[in-house]
Amino acid sequence: MKTYEAFAAYYDGLTDNVDYNALCDRFCQLFSQYGNGGKIVLDLACGTGSLSILLAEKGFDVVGVDASEEMLSEAMNKSFEFGNPIFLNQSMQSLDMFGTIDAAVCTLDSINHLKTKKDVKKAIDRVSLFLNPKGLFLFDVNTLYKHQEILGNNTFVYDTDSVYCVWQNNFHKKSGQIDISLDFFEKQDDGSYLRENECFSEYYYSDEFLTQTLEENSLKVLCRFDDYSDRNVNEKSQRVLYLCRKE
């Protein structure tokens, strides 16, 4: 099974706690405060396109890129009704744009899904290649604290209108890696349940490694935020948002 093939159908229902409107407003504020005034925005690893659509509605020319055909299918179905971004089926490591961009965003720990440091370096290199001078790159990563203390070797259960989901984690202390297994149970018309499974991992990358990789690609870190707030990062931050500018 392709990664995220089963997950795509249930993704929006299982992430309805994400306030995409607030996230869009936050990014627009940072674009205005630190950006170059441009309008072409890349939404890297855009998933089902929720943020892409909101940014397009704000007047940006948005290109959403994702490696999952199933995620992009969901995104395109939504975009016909709510917005008009362009969607491309590409991995982060092989990003290939038609032209340059003024800003790029990569949200919800998508960088943590890249399997190796080599993959992370390739993805950042590709973003920098297409980013205009003084363009912004905003991305977030999960912290080691979140992997160890919040996700850990824990099990979570989600019961939504469309699916019952059991999320099981296996934490590797030496590497900080989290192996994730998702079991989806969807009720059928006859009262039975259809079970589907999705397995993937998230990988921890240190601030030192990320900062060095960004600098090697002419991307200067201007700020690090605790999640999508304006707070400084602390020892219990679960997500760090990096705000970088192309030199």
Side-chain angles (χ1 to χ4, degrees):
M1 180 181 289
K2 298 178 182 177
T3 306
Y4 317 126
E5 184 175 358
F7 196 13
Y10 311 117
Y11 184 83
D12 285 345
L14 293 171
T15 58
D16 62 357
N17 62 317
V18 179
D19 190 341
Y20 283 103
N21 285 290
L23 181 54
C24 180
D25 289 343
R26 175 63 169 153
F27 283 172
C28 289
Q29 177 228 327
L30 294 172
F31 291 160
S32 177
Q33 184 175 354
Y34 294 96
N36 60 5
K39 290 190 64 176
I40 304 175
V41 177
L42 165 68
D43 186 5
L44 189 62
C46 65
T48 61
S50 297
L51 180 60
S52 301
I53 292 166
L54 291 173
L55 288 169
E57 290 178 343
K58 293 286 188 181
F60 293 99
D61 296 325
V62 180
V63 180
V65 170
D66 202 277
S68 168
E69 295 178 6
E70 290 74 22
M71 288 285 193
L72 289 180
S73 176
E74 299 289 331
M76 293 180 69
N77 287 338
K78 291 193 297 187
S79 70
F80 290 138
E81 181 178 356
F82 296 110
N84 193 33
I86 296 171
F87 291 110
L88 301 176
N89 183 211
Q90 299 176 357
S91 72
M92 289 187 269
Q93 307 95 297
S94 59
L95 177 70
D96 190 12
M97 306 292 291
F98 300 123
T100 58
I101 55 177
D102 301 307
V105 299
C106 186
T107 61
L108 299 178
D109 49 88
S110 293
I111 294 292
N112 294 103
H113 288 250
L114 294 172
K115 294 182 179 181
T116 66
K117 288 184 176 180
K118 184 178 180 180
D119 288 335
V120 176
K121 289 180 177 181
K122 283 183 178 180
I124 291 175
D125 172 74
R126 299 305 290 178
V127 170
S128 179
L129 177 64
F130 293 103
L131 193 61
N132 284 324
K134 298 189 182 301
L136 297 183
F137 180 30
L138 290 85
F139 69 94
D140 67 69
V141 291
N142 279 344
T143 63
L144 184 60
Y145 174 83
K146 181 176 182 179
H147 278 195
Q148 182 168 336
E149 302 297 332
I150 306 301
L151 298 178
N153 293 299
N154 294 321
T155 298
F156 305 94
V157 174
Y158 297 90
D159 189 0
T160 74
D161 292 339
S162 60
V163 69
Y164 184 85
C165 174
V166 179
W167 171 352
Q168 300 180 79
N169 294 329
N170 182 25
F171 174 67
H172 301 269
K173 187 173 183 179
K174 185 175 180 179
S175 65
Q177 176 180 328
I178 287 279
D179 295 330
I180 298 170
S181 176
L182 302 174
D183 285 299
F184 306 102
F185 300 88
E186 183 178 10
K187 193 170 185 178
Q188 306 299 293
D189 291 339
D190 63 1
S192 64
Y193 283 84
L194 172 67
R195 178 184 177 185
E196 296 184 272
N197 177 261
E198 190 88 73
C199 295
F200 53 90
S201 298
E202 291 204 14
Y203 305 86
Y204 166 69
Y205 296 108
S206 69
D207 175 71
E208 291 77 13
F209 163 71
L210 292 171
T211 300
Q212 180 179 346
T213 303
L214 290 162
E215 290 176 349
E216 289 172 353
N217 287 279
S218 301
L219 290 163
K220 180 179 180 180
V221 179
L222 301 181
C223 304
R224 296 172 182 82
F225 299 104
D226 177 16
D227 210 333
Y228 301 123
S229 72
D230 58 1
R231 299 185 301 270
N232 293 326
V233 176
N234 60 73
E235 68 275 6
K236 292 188 177 181
S237 293
Q238 297 183 35
R239 174 182 285 131
V240 176
L241 174 65
Y242 285 77
L243 170 61
C244 314
R245 178 186 286 149
K246 175 76 174 286
E247 297 290 283

